[in-house]
Amino acid sequence: GQQVQQSPTSLVLQEGENAELQCNFSTSLNSMQWFYQRPGGSLISVFYNPSGTKQSGRLTSTTVIKERRSSLHISSSQITDSGTYLCAMERTGGYKVVFGSGTRLLVSP
Amino acid sequence: EAAVTQSPRNKVAVTGGKVTLSCNQTNNHNNMYWYRQDTGHGLRLIHYSYGAGSTEKGDIPDGYKASRPSQENFSLILELATPSQTSVYFCASGDRRGDTQYFGPGTRLLVL
């Protein structure tokens, strides 16, 4: 089965609404990251978050390594937040990073 | 800001042909990675490297080879391309274990 489960798979919001994206891991991990990808675009690191809570502007990431989960909260969503958000984990014992399938976010006016 | 470039950006190949995808990074990162991205699968790791001269198999290495001739360059080679290798390929680099990865713009490969 998939080692990284993301939910929801897609999300539609009206501008100004908040969003909560979830990531769950089936194996132990050293660290995890959140990436943002525009349609047809490359990936940009949003958070590298081994544990705890990090905030950057309207984005907040909370990772609980022991419980193998992480969340990404987007407050007061904007149209420019639209795109795909992927989480990725670094498995224990190696350099390999495993990605989830992503959450597609659409923010409409 | 990390700079990772890929070439070509788009490629059409024929079945059975040889394809080489190139990646260059200018930030002196030790680690480099090749992924492919397909709908429903997210990104999957094909090969990675710890430094010049080293290549390691990722999760889906079959049908692919990799070459790291220098710190800056990492190539992905499809000796006998097949239609199932049609995908978007991303190269990434990272400074050390556990650090964030910086991605290139991607290469769209179509194998007919």
Side-chain angles (χ1 to χ4, degrees):
Chain A
Q2 285 191 335
Q3 297 181 56
V4 182
Q5 296 276 3
Q6 287 193 242
S7 61
T9 54
S10 62
L11 184 61
V12 179
L13 300 174
Q14 280 201 318
E15 197 171 15
E17 291 183 325
N18 299 331
E20 186 88 7
L21 282 57
Q22 302 288 343
C23 197
N24 290 282
F25 311 102
S26 62
T27 62
S28 59
L29 63 154
N30 285 333
S31 64
M32 66 80 53
Q33 304 178 45
W34 284 97
F35 291 88
Y36 168 73
Q37 184 180 30
R38 282 202 184 279
S42 187
L43 282 76
I44 300 171
S45 178
V46 177
F47 284 110
Y48 170 68
N49 189 2
S51 65
T53 297
K54 291 190 175 182
Q55 183 175 2
S56 176
R58 296 181 293 103
L59 303 180
T60 303
S61 171
T62 300
T63 297
V64 184
I65 287 288
K66 288 184 178 179
E67 296 181 10
R68 301 178 183 175
R69 60 177 174 86
S70 181
S71 64
L72 179 66
H73 182 83
I74 304 173
S75 62
S76 302
S77 61
Q78 299 178 359
I79 295 171
T80 52
D81 294 332
S82 298
T84 299
Y85 293 81
L86 298 104
C87 66
M89 71 165 191
E90 181 195 333
R91 294 179 291 205
T92 54
Y95 282 72
K96 295 180 184 179
V97 173
V98 181
F99 283 79
S101 297
T103 294
R104 293 184 180 181
L105 175 65
L106 176 62
V107 182
S108 58
Chain B
E1 187 75 24
V4 181
T5 57
Q6 294 182 230
S7 64
R9 295 294 313 279
N10 294 280
K11 174 74 177 179
V12 179
V14 295
T15 298
K18 182 177 181 178
V19 177
T20 300
L21 307 183
S22 300
C23 178
N24 178 274
Q25 55 101 358
T26 60
N27 288 279
N28 201 33
H29 287 164
N30 289 325
N31 303 331
M32 296 186 75
Y33 311 83
W34 275 107
Y35 298 91
R36 62 178 285 177
Q37 186 176 33
D38 305 286
T39 303
H41 288 283
L43 271 80
R44 292 180 289 175
L45 182 64
I46 306 170
H47 284 287
Y48 60 104
S49 169
Y50 298 143
S54 92
T55 60
E56 304 290 336
K57 293 181 179 180
D59 295 318
I60 53 165
D62 293 346
Y64 302 94
K65 292 183 179 179
S67 174
R68 183 87 181 269
S70 65
Q71 182 80 336
E72 298 79 17
N73 295 294
F74 191 37
S75 297
L76 186 68
I77 304 149
L78 291 67
E79 294 280 3
L80 295 169
T82 68
S84 64
Q85 294 175 312
T86 292
S87 186
V88 180
Y89 292 85
F90 286 99
C91 174
S93 72
D95 192 21
R96 56 188 178 273
R97 178 178 178 175
D99 199 2
T100 190
Q101 295 185 15
Y102 297 89
F103 281 78
T107 294
R108 291 186 177 274
L109 174 64
L110 173 62
V111 182
L112 300 174

